[in-house]
Amino acid sequence: MKARNIEIERAKALEVVKNITDADTLHEIIVLYDENNASSERISIEEYNKALDEAENRVNEGQFVTLDEFKKEMAKWK
C-alpha cells in the first residue's frame, strides 16, 4: 500500500467536516477522536468481537434472562 500524504488527507477530512450540517454527527466525531475524552477507555475491536462471541455462546447455551425477568429483578431495587 502506498503511503498517504498527511496534509492531503487532513485537507480532505477538513473539507468533509466543514460540510456536515448535523450537530449530532459532529458530536460523535468529536467523541470518537477526542483523546482527552473518557471514550479513550474504549476496548479494541478484537476485545469487542471476543465479548460478542462469548455472549452469543451464552445465549446459545441458554444462559440468558428474558426482558421480563430483568424487569422483575430491577423492580426489587426501586
Side-chain angles (χ1 to χ4, degrees):
M1 175 181 237
K2 181 181 173 186
R4 294 195 167 126
N5 180 305
I6 187 68
E7 295 305 322
I8 292 171
E9 296 304 317
R10 183 177 287 133
K12 288 178 187 177
L14 287 172
E15 195 59 37
V16 169
V17 169
K18 282 196 255 181
N19 290 317
I20 295 173
T21 58
D22 179 55
D24 290 332
T25 301
L26 287 173
H27 174 75
E28 292 302 320
I29 291 170
I30 291 167
V31 169
L32 182 62
Y33 291 101
D34 184 7
E35 293 177 6
N36 297 322
N37 194 300
S39 66
S40 64
E41 299 172 11
R42 296 170 54 177
I43 63 172
S44 70
I45 190 69
E46 291 82 12
E47 291 172 310
Y48 173 82
N49 286 336
K50 181 180 176 187
L52 195 59
D53 289 340
E54 289 171 355
E56 184 177 13
N57 288 337
R58 287 192 303 274
V59 168
N60 290 339
E61 294 170 358
Q63 299 174 5
F64 61 90
V65 295
T66 65
L67 180 58
D68 288 336
E69 291 170 328
F70 174 76
K71 287 179 180 179
K72 287 177 187 174
E73 188 64 29
M74 294 309 295
K76 295 178 185 177
W77 296 97
K78 285 186 177 181

